[in-house]
Amino acid sequence: MRSLSLHSSALKDASVDLAGEIVRLEALLAERRGELIALQEELRAFRALYTQVIGSLLAELSEVERAIKEAERRTLGTDDSTADEGEAPFTDDAGAGDALPVKTTLRKLFWSVAKLFHPDTAADETEARRRHSIMAEASRAYREGDVESLNTLLGDEELRFYCASAHDHETQEDLASRLLNIKEELRTVEFGIKRIRQDGLYRLKLSVAEEAASGRDALAAQADAINRKIRKARRRLEHLS
């Protein structure tokens, strides 16, 4: 009887320890979720600002540079139908000749991610939510042409491991399985945080903020530099016209 009593006491203590760890990790998960949402909002706002301040100028510069090339061809008496041999046909933007292979690469990467993490292969609702989160990130990367993020998803061995093996065996909904689920959700959220912090645009945002703290406007300086290139290009175009 004494042995049974000691065993019951040990089980009770273990349950209390698990419950305490669950409370701690749930609080941490809520904190990390808030951090992820804040980072996503920061990046979204900076992307909009960058597009407004810099993106339109880059597009204008590209347009003027194309006009210069066309004027140079006319000056040399080169027919439009005999464009430079090295120039790919049907290119509307600088570097558009690479668009097809890049898009093919993106598609292959996206489907590789989907094969590993698609929610339809989840063992239960909790795992499906995690996989939905990963696929949402993959969809974002595909839309934005973010090859680096898709490669990161594929290369994260820990992420692949827990999505592949978290539910290899059926378990009861007890404290231990609840703790495991929380840890896995926490890992997914922390992966999202890591991806944003490694994003090139986010690193640029941090650099711009650091410059602003020193009283300098890095985006304005970049815009001025592009505007100077535009003015120089337009003078060149006027000279050719």
Side-chain angles (χ1 to χ4, degrees):
M1 292 291 292
R2 180 176 176 78
S3 176
L4 181 59
S5 177
L6 288 174
H7 181 66
S8 298
S9 177
L11 287 177
K12 183 176 181 181
D13 290 343
S15 295
V16 170
D17 291 342
L18 283 174
E21 182 67 0
I22 287 172
V23 170
R24 185 186 72 82
L25 287 180
E26 283 182 334
L28 180 60
L29 178 59
E31 180 183 334
R32 290 289 187 269
R33 280 173 175 162
E35 184 178 353
L36 177 59
I37 291 171
L39 286 171
Q40 289 171 334
E41 289 298 327
E42 288 175 17
L43 184 58
R44 187 177 298 112
F46 183 75
R47 182 179 286 112
L49 176 63
Y50 185 84
T51 300
Q52 178 183 358
V53 176
I54 303 298
S56 58
L57 292 177
L58 289 174
E60 182 180 354
L61 178 60
S62 178
E63 181 180 350
V64 177
E65 288 176 340
R66 284 199 303 272
I68 289 174
K69 289 181 181 179
E70 292 174 1
E72 288 174 339
R73 284 199 293 269
R74 288 196 300 270
T75 299
L76 294 173
T78 304
D79 190 271
D80 287 342
S81 62
T82 59
D84 296 340
E85 292 182 3
E87 185 175 339
F90 310 113
T91 56
D92 292 331
D93 299 305
D98 297 329
L100 183 59
V102 169
K103 191 167 185 179
T104 300
T105 299
L106 275 170
R107 188 181 297 111
K108 288 181 178 179
L109 285 171
F110 177 81
W111 285 115
S112 294
V113 172
K115 185 177 179 180
L116 283 172
F117 302 119
H118 199 282
D120 287 350
T121 62
D124 57 30
E125 186 177 346
T126 299
E127 186 179 351
R129 287 198 300 270
R130 289 195 301 272
R131 289 173 177 267
H132 271 298
S133 176
I134 294 169
M135 288 308 301
E137 169 58 18
S139 297
R140 193 263 336 146
Y142 180 77
R143 287 196 307 272
E144 298 177 9
D146 190 348
V147 174
E148 182 181 352
S149 290
L150 288 172
N151 276 317
T152 300
L153 283 170
L154 285 174
D156 194 295
E157 294 295 334
E158 290 185 358
L159 193 65
R160 293 175 66 170
F161 174 78
Y162 84 75
C163 276
S165 63
H167 295 280
D168 285 345
H169 303 286
E170 290 185 0
T171 60
Q172 296 180 351
E173 284 296 322
D174 54 10
L175 289 174
S177 63
R178 173 60 181 156
L179 181 61
L180 177 63
N181 290 336
I182 294 173
K183 286 181 176 179
E184 290 170 350
E185 289 186 46
L186 182 60
R187 192 190 301 273
T188 301
V189 172
E190 288 182 336
F191 175 81
I193 292 172
K194 180 178 73 172
R195 188 211 62 78
I196 290 179
R197 287 177 172 166
Q198 292 176 343
D199 187 276
L201 190 61
Y202 185 77
R203 290 198 295 269
L204 176 60
K205 172 195 173 300
L206 295 179
S207 176
V208 168
E210 189 175 328
E211 292 286 307
S214 301
R216 295 184 291 272
D217 189 335
L219 285 185
Q222 187 175 349
D224 287 342
I226 298 172
N227 271 317
R228 287 194 294 271
K229 290 181 180 180
I230 291 173
R231 288 194 293 270
K232 183 178 179 180
R234 288 197 179 282
R235 287 195 295 269
R236 170 67 176 161
L237 182 59
E238 290 173 2
H239 178 73
L240 290 169
S241 299

